Amino acid sequence: MSAKDLEWGQDTKDVVPPQQDVSAAENVGAVRENELVTQKGPIYRWLSKAFDMGVEARGIERVPEDERDGKHTIGLLLLWWSVNSVVSTVPIGLLAQAYYTLTFHSAVAAIVAFTAIGAACCAFIATLGPKTGLRTMVISRYSVGFVGGSIFSIFNILTQLGFSCTAVILGGQVLTNVSDGKLPLEASIVLVGFIALVLVFIGYEAVHQWERYAWIILLIVYFCMWGLGAHQGFDIGAQQELQDTGLPYAGDFLSFGGIVFSSAAGWAPIAADFNCRLPHTIKPWKVFVLTWFGLMVPLLFIECLSAALMTVPAYAAAFESGDAAGVIAEVFAPWNGGGKFILVIMAFSIICNCTPNTYSCALSIQALFKPFEKVPRAIWAVVSFVIYTVAAVAGREHFSEILSNFLAILGYWVAFFIVVVAEEHFIFRKHVIRGGYDLTAYDTMSKLPIGAAGIFACACGAAMAVVSMAQVWYIGPLGAVFGEYGGDLGFEMSAATTAIVYPPLRYIEYRLTGR
């Protein structure tokens, strides 16, 4: 049996017969973790003692089947619960009223609809991790080739740095507010980011262990916020008079929806990074469902909460004067010292968010060029920490503007990334290319697709996103249809255009090149 026989949806008995050891077929192209130090060069040997003490040596190399297990299956659910139960999720719901004049009802409708779509996109990508034993950016090479995979890696590096930057800014703001300004914002940002770095440096096991339990106390905190907000009195009808109608309302709804979509789908480029050590025999539907609920539950719970908070006049005023951190501080103000203690917990919740961002950013750097694979993932994690910390300190006074613009633009590239990976998987690897994925080819440019079809299709999607976008600094012709402030159709048009262009070009590419 060849590696190419490991196709999506095959029954387990067709791949590894019962009572039989894992064959070499399941390990083709894989590298054992204890072999990396001798294979990768001097920097790995320099860190050999750290690897012996438990620091993860593995980077983007394929995980052998006999080095996988199902102990982190529950992590498909709990990791995403913790990652999205952080304080940086709160501002997303606040933006509905503050930036788009949507009522609570409209905000909830957008949150539910666009989160469901974004979470489904992320959950699909997650299913590919156990089936291939590969990281997400490496999987993308089967759609857009090595060069296209490097382009995606650049986008993902910027994405994960952006997520981390906005997260540590908010965590730092909360810590500074708790200290009544005695702890400078710059120091707060560095402190929060550094603690996350420690977990990332250790690697996969440390990330999963932390995320398995972190959500518990955070869930209690958010229940407290719901209770305190209800005590103040939610005014569900607030902003009804300010909400637009007709096309301007549609534009506001779509623009906010694009931000919500990105908050969920933005995890897709790293979704396989945290389950590639699960056995390939795990059912895809199980991976999909656990990941989808892992995203939906915390995102809906927290974003609807923050949208409700903006219906309380005192909290809306706190947003105007102190941004998202001001709202959170105002919520817990009645509890005095106890409230400050909770704020400290919320500030450090950012660790749950920065940890996967930094971890995957390091992997994406390795995936850029083959020489970068000779530098261990742990070193690239330190480099990533330095970059996003410096950026956060520089942009610390403009959190909401950075968040809204970053999330909106993020959705554009994530949309065409998901489309080409999905169409490659469901159309070509199942029905056109005999044998599906050649798992020996993941790091060999000459065996991968040349990527011209994928890169061109994504470029068309990006061009259509520009035409359809609506940002403070630019409104495209299609976006301008919705009125003075436009309506952002960027991710929808990016996905639709790519979906139309990619299949015929990829078929021609395959017929001409055979790969």
Side-chain angles (χ1 to χ4, degrees), residues 158-188:
L158 296 175
T159 297
Q160 303 317 316
L161 291 176
F163 267 132
S164 297
C165 180
T166 56
V168 295
I169 289 175
L170 183 56
Q173 286 177 341
V174 174
L175 271 184
T176 298
N177 284 348
V178 171
S179 69
D180 295 323
K182 295 177 182 177
L183 183 65
L185 180 54
E186 297 90 333
S188 299

Side-chain angles (χ1 to χ4, degrees), residues 363-374:
L363 294 172
S364 293
I365 295 174
Q366 278 196 325
L368 277 176
F369 306 107
K370 287 187 71 67
F372 285 7
E373 295 178 34
K374 297 185 179 297

Side-chain angles (χ1 to χ4, degrees), residues 84-96:
N84 290 286
S85 293
V86 298
V87 68
S88 57
T89 302
V90 174
I92 296 171
L94 302 178
L95 297 175

Side-chain angles (χ1 to χ4, degrees), residues 260-307:
V260 173
F261 168 81
S262 297
S263 70
W267 297 111
I270 72 173
D273 295 351
F274 301 98
N275 61 26
C276 59
R277 289 176 181 263
L278 294 177
H280 78 270
T281 54
I282 189 171
K283 297 298 183 182
W285 67 263
K286 186 175 184 180
V287 177
F288 185 96
V289 170
L290 288 173
T291 304
W292 191 82
F293 275 105
L295 290 160
M296 282 291 288
V297 172
L299 288 174
L300 292 187
F301 187 72
I302 298 171
E303 290 175 13
C304 289
L305 163 65
S306 55

Side-chain angles (χ1 to χ4, degrees), residues 85-87 171 174-175 178 192 210 214 216-222 338-352:
S85 293
V86 298
V87 68
V174 174
L175 271 184
V178 171
V192 172
W210 176 274
I216 299 173
I217 190 169
L218 296 174
L219 182 64
I220 296 171
V221 169
Y222 289 117
K340 288 190 174 183
F341 175 73
I342 290 177
L343 289 176
V344 172
I345 293 175
M346 294 194 74
F348 285 109
S349 73
I350 290 300
I351 296 169
C352 300

Side-chain angles (χ1 to χ4, degrees), residues 13-96:
K13 67 179 183 295
D14 295 328
V15 180
V16 182
Q19 291 85 45
Q20 186 174 356
D21 292 335
V22 176
S23 68
E26 277 69 49
N27 289 335
V28 288
V31 180
R32 301 185 184 282
E33 193 152 357
N34 59 9
E35 298 173 351
L36 290 171
V37 173
T38 56
Q39 289 186 12
K40 293 293 184 178
I43 303 180
Y44 273 81
R45 289 194 292 272
W46 179 63
L47 285 177
S48 59
K49 289 186 178 180
F51 298 145
D52 292 339
M53 294 172 63
V55 172
E56 182 187 16
R58 183 174 302 284
I60 62 170
E61 302 81 15
R62 182 170 179 253
V63 184
E65 183 63 29
D66 51 5
E67 287 190 8
R68 306 193 213 176
D69 57 58
K71 70 177 180 179
H72 289 308
T73 300
I74 191 63
L76 295 170
L77 178 74
L78 299 183
L79 180 140
W80 297 114
W81 271 13
S82 291
V83 165
N84 290 286
S85 293
V86 298
V87 68
S88 57
T89 302
V90 174
I92 296 171
L94 302 178
L95 297 175

Side-chain angles (χ1 to χ4, degrees), residues 202-425:
I202 298 173
Y204 187 93
E205 283 293 324
V207 172
H208 270 282
Q209 290 298 332
W210 176 274
E211 306 288 6
R212 176 171 292 198
Y213 304 106
W215 63 274
I216 299 173
I217 190 169
L218 296 174
L219 182 64
I220 296 171
V221 169
Y222 289 117
F223 273 120
C224 292
M225 291 183 70
W226 272 108
L228 289 166
H231 182 72
Q232 286 285 336
F234 294 127
D235 181 8
I236 302 303
Q239 292 204 187
Q240 186 65 54
E241 295 181 358
L242 296 177
Q243 182 171 271
D244 290 321
T245 58
L247 281 177
Y249 167 73
D252 294 337
F253 189 88
L254 289 169
S255 295
F256 177 63
I259 292 175
V260 173
F261 168 81
S262 297
S263 70
W267 297 111
I270 72 173
D273 295 351
F274 301 98
N275 61 26
C276 59
R277 289 176 181 263
L278 294 177
H280 78 270
T281 54
I282 189 171
K283 297 298 183 182
W285 67 263
K286 186 175 184 180
V287 177
F288 185 96
V289 170
L290 288 173
T291 304
W292 191 82
F293 275 105
L295 290 160
M296 282 291 288
V297 172
L299 288 174
L300 292 187
F301 187 72
I302 298 171
E303 290 175 13
C304 289
L305 163 65
S306 55
L309 293 177
M310 286 296 282
T311 68
V312 179
Y315 300 156
F319 182 85
E320 293 295 329
S321 60
D323 218 322
V327 175
I328 298 168
E330 183 67 23
V331 171
F332 289 106
W335 286 3
N336 300 316
K340 288 190 174 183
F341 175 73
I342 290 177
L343 289 176
V344 172
I345 293 175
M346 294 194 74
F348 285 109
S349 73
I350 290 300
I351 296 169
C352 300
N353 193 281
C354 288
T355 299
N357 294 336
T358 310
Y359 182 89
S360 291
C361 183
L363 294 172
S364 293
I365 295 174
Q366 278 196 325
L368 277 176
F369 306 107
K370 287 187 71 67
F372 285 7
E373 295 178 34
K374 297 185 179 297
V375 178
R377 173 205 57 80
I379 298 298
W380 288 124
V382 175
V383 173
S384 302
F385 161 75
V386 172
I387 294 172
Y388 75 69
T389 301
V390 171
V393 170
R396 62 191 181 278
E397 303 298 339
H398 306 283
F399 172 75
S400 287
E401 292 85 350
I402 293 173
L403 179 67
S404 60
N405 289 323
F406 165 69
L407 285 179
I409 295 173
L410 165 63
Y412 305 157
W413 91 264
V414 169
F416 61 66
F417 160 77
I418 292 168
V419 166
V420 295
V421 173
E423 290 189 330
E424 179 70 25
H425 178 75

